Amino acid sequence: MNGLGTGGGGTTHNTVSGDAVVVGPLLMAQHIEGIQLPPAPPDAPPSQGPPPSRVFVNRTKELTDLRDAARAMAAGPEPGVLMVVGVGGVGKTQLVAQSVRRELMQLFPQGQLYVDLEDLRQDGVVDLAAVLGGFLRALGVNKDYVPGGLAERTALFRSVTARSRLLVMVDNVQHAPEARALVPPQGLLVVTGRKVLPSLLMDGAVLIDVAPLDEVAGTELVRRWYADADEETAADVVRLCAGHPLALRAAVEWLAARPHLTLDDVVRDLTAGRYGTGDDGAREAMGAAMGASEGPAEGGVGEAVGAVLDSVVAGVSEETRHLYGLFGVLPGTTATADLLRAAGATRVDEGLGELLSSRLAVLVESADRPRRYRLHDVVRAHARLRARALPDERRRAVLRLVVEFYADAAAHADASVLGDRFRIQPPPLRPLSELGLNKPLFTGRAEALEWLDAERVNLQGAIRAAAGQGWHQEVWRLCESLWALYHSRKHLADCVESGLLGIEAAQHEARPDVEIRMRNQVARAAYELGDLDRAEAQLDAATGLLELAGDPRLSGVVWESRGLIALARGRSAGSPHAVGERAEEARQLFERALAANRAVPDRHGVVVQSYNVAQALLAGERWSDALGVLDEAAEVARATGDEPMLLRIDLVRAKAFVGLGSLDRAVTATVAAADRAAVLKQFAKLDQALELLAALADRAEDRPLRAACEEKLGALRRTMGLRPPAAPPA
């Protein structure tokens, strides 16, 4: 029996949402088959990681150990872990890059993923959910399918890579849990770090120790770079640099830019210690930055590297030294030319070129528009050490310029991503064109979101720096603007951290309206993380401030968040009575949010809160009441051209029809939702519509429609990157 369409195989049209017309059952399957999906992404495995250098010497033992351990692990069914350990800048990353090119790429042909945790570490902690989100997108998973929580991202990562021989490379691991979370199911994880992690060894990791170069290897390296060097002078340079490759490279690069000097001049200057910082803590600071212990050998390496970097910096132009000093003050890890100009640098392009040619700075790969630069972590520690010598007012002035740049840029990005949403802060004083000298930082929603994501660590650093300096307005402005990033890319841990700083800033400024908004943002992040108790605690505090808030929309966002939590608690309730009570509680809260938006009036807010009211009515099995609310919401949404909300309304309307037992009308509403989702390119919603439609077809015993839905759903998920790769050949 077929219960869809007209019930008799005719061509009667069913119209539900006002603009969706779907024919009867004979052609419905063909309609689904005709839905257009995006083209599949290129079937190319990710190939991330730093490129190998053409000049590489005397790591024969380490390369052999890496190769042998990797081969043994590749032959087994379980994933393997290699731990490459040595002081900062000793060449661990380059060693791994060489091994990848020579051996590991062939052993693990289905892709290489790479991340440097130093670029993502905040107060000693790495947001592993953000790392996994980046990995999933690199593996071809559409951003709309990347879940928010760490557990969900971990599960999806393991599912997507379940049949892949994948190589994952992670630089600057400090703690064993950082490594364990990134182990691929059947591949190899190679981590670098500055200290041995005993618990990883107990897990079965293989240790590869990387020491500074001995005199023979170091001399060979120097003479490859500088062919005119005699062996004795080259050996002196190696000794003065303690065999440290980073120091050797910096010294010879510095010399290469000064053809009128010789290697003997380098030796003389290093021996004299001419460019020392004068800081009694320099040796200890550089040793700590390199991950060294307090032993004499490691301390000597730190002192040698510091002396070489002092020498190199002293030899660059005055503008470049100024630029180097700015890097030592910046609160984040990377910088663009536009940020450096905003911070007061001149001749930025020339200075960055000199830093790159001196191997003090490197280019960073990024999906967004601007070119990004960063210092090697050991060099960054040296720059920050030198920045201590700057007067406090000078450092504070630079930080102020940086924070103001980010506050204005983030506000423009927020407007590009989320459009005309309710905001407390006024529009930024500087137009976007003033923030980018040669071209805008971003154009359009997609580029703005990529810019926010690329700047995420720097923006978090700017918030912390502003909080430390007592610039309260800039703190909450940044927090409010970053909701566009937190909500879209689900950086929920960042949202909680910055939101708490935003709450403190609001309290310092006696701004109850801002405090309400900040507490609501923390509550929404906690809600999405499943921490409902924490979310409710924040909303309790926000509710106590509502009488002091001027804009009724602030009460609306609080009631909305409370309603969402009530619905979530209802879904986990043990009895139908408890479910009904929670549903009614949610309905009343959403009604209050709806009234707040009508009072403004905010027509988009009215549609959203009406949609929420209908969801609560559905949870309470009040199907007809829900349809009445949805019809009113759809009328407003059509009048305002709010297509995304019309899509969501169609999906909820379909569930209401299911509750009423009207499968025909449920199917029509679901097909309308699928059509709209395809046009809007909201593929996660299309997934929901197809899954619901397949279930409806199954109930109606419409096998052609169910088959069409399942085929389209499978094709969609493969296009979205959710199909595990084919098993490797035996």
Side-chain angles (χ1 to χ4, degrees), residues 231-545:
E231 187 168 339
E232 182 178 352
T233 306
D236 286 340
V237 173
V238 173
R239 174 180 52 79
L240 290 166
C241 293
H244 195 282
L246 177 66
L248 289 169
R249 181 71 179 247
V252 178
E253 289 280 356
W254 175 85
L255 179 62
R258 293 157 183 81
H260 61 289
L261 300 179
T262 67
L263 203 60
D264 290 314
D265 296 311
V266 174
V267 171
R268 183 176 59 254
D269 289 347
L270 289 175
T271 302
R274 180 175 300 175
Y275 304 113
T277 62
D279 189 330
D280 291 338
R283 179 175 183 269
E284 290 79 4
M286 285 301 300
M290 296 168 63
S293 69
E294 295 181 359
E298 291 85 352
V301 174
E303 189 173 9
V305 174
V308 171
L309 293 177
D310 283 336
S311 178
V312 171
V313 172
V316 299
S317 68
E318 182 178 352
E319 292 84 357
T320 303
R321 282 197 300 276
H322 175 60
L323 200 63
Y324 188 75
L326 290 180
F327 271 102
V329 178
L330 296 179
T333 58
T334 64
T336 63
D338 291 316
L339 172 67
L340 294 167
R341 289 189 188 94
T346 58
R347 298 185 62 194
V348 174
D349 292 335
E350 294 87 342
L352 286 170
E354 195 167 8
L355 290 179
L356 288 171
S357 65
S358 300
R359 292 302 190 270
L360 296 174
V362 295
L363 274 170
V364 180
E365 293 184 8
S366 175
D368 72 323
R369 178 191 296 250
R371 301 181 77 188
R372 301 183 179 281
Y373 306 84
R374 73 171 176 89
L375 305 183
H376 185 284
D377 45 357
V378 172
V379 180
R380 184 164 64 237
H382 177 263
R384 288 178 174 171
L385 176 66
R386 289 172 61 95
R388 294 179 188 174
L390 293 174
D392 288 343
E393 285 305 310
R394 171 62 181 150
R395 283 188 284 125
R396 184 178 169 88
V398 170
L399 275 178
R400 183 81 193 199
L401 293 171
V402 169
V403 168
E404 289 176 348
F405 172 88
Y406 277 128
D408 283 349
H412 283 294
D414 171 32
S416 295
V417 175
L418 294 181
D420 190 24
R421 73 174 179 121
F422 166 54
R423 296 174 178 84
I424 296 176
Q425 64 178 298
L429 293 177
R430 287 180 289 184
L432 184 59
S433 59
E434 286 188 14
L435 300 174
L437 182 63
N438 297 321
K439 55 186 176 182
L441 301 179
F442 42 80
T443 57
R445 181 185 186 279
E447 284 191 1
L449 187 55
E450 289 297 342
W451 181 87
L452 285 168
D453 215 0
E455 291 280 7
R456 183 177 67 88
V457 173
N458 299 330
L459 289 162
Q460 292 293 114
I463 291 173
R464 278 195 231 92
Q469 296 293 335
W471 300 327
H472 306 304
Q473 185 179 44
E474 283 71 23
V475 171
W476 68 257
R477 279 186 64 202
L478 280 163
C479 292
E480 184 180 43
S481 297
L482 289 181
W483 178 251
L485 172 65
Y486 300 147
H487 179 68
S488 299
R489 293 289 169 86
K490 303 303 180 187
H491 295 305
L492 303 176
D494 284 359
C495 185
V496 171
E497 181 206 354
S498 64
L500 294 175
L501 292 175
I503 291 168
E504 292 181 10
Q507 291 171 339
H508 278 290
E509 287 207 320
R511 290 289 303 270
D513 55 342
V514 174
E515 185 176 348
I516 291 168
R517 171 132 248 185
M518 295 295 101
R519 288 191 182 277
N520 186 69
Q521 286 191 187
V522 174
R524 290 295 286 268
Y527 160 77
E528 293 199 48
L529 289 168
D531 191 349
L532 301 185
D533 291 338
R534 183 175 194 175
E536 282 194 324
Q538 289 295 333
L539 293 172
D540 286 342
T543 303
L545 298 169

Side-chain angles (χ1 to χ4, degrees), residues 550-584:
D551 195 305
R553 284 173 291 187
L554 286 168
S555 62
V557 299
V558 173
W559 303 132
E560 178 187 22
S561 297
R562 283 195 174 281
L564 293 172
I565 292 171
L567 280 181
R569 293 201 184 279
R571 286 191 292 268
S572 61
S575 68
H577 176 70
V579 172
E581 283 190 336
R582 286 294 190 179
E584 177 58 20

Side-chain angles (χ1 to χ4, degrees), residues 641-656:
D642 198 340
E643 290 291 322
M645 285 307 302
L646 283 170
L647 163 58
R648 298 171 73 183
I649 288 168
D650 280 334
L651 283 171
V652 177
R653 178 186 278 116
K655 296 174 184 177

Side-chain angles (χ1 to χ4, degrees), residues 7 39 49 130 151 158 161 201 223 284 335 386 493 560 598 602 706 715:
R158 290 173 179 167
T161 61
L201 295 179
R223 296 185 74 187
E284 290 79 4
R386 289 172 61 95
E560 178 187 22
R598 282 175 172 158
D602 184 327
R706 178 170 179 81

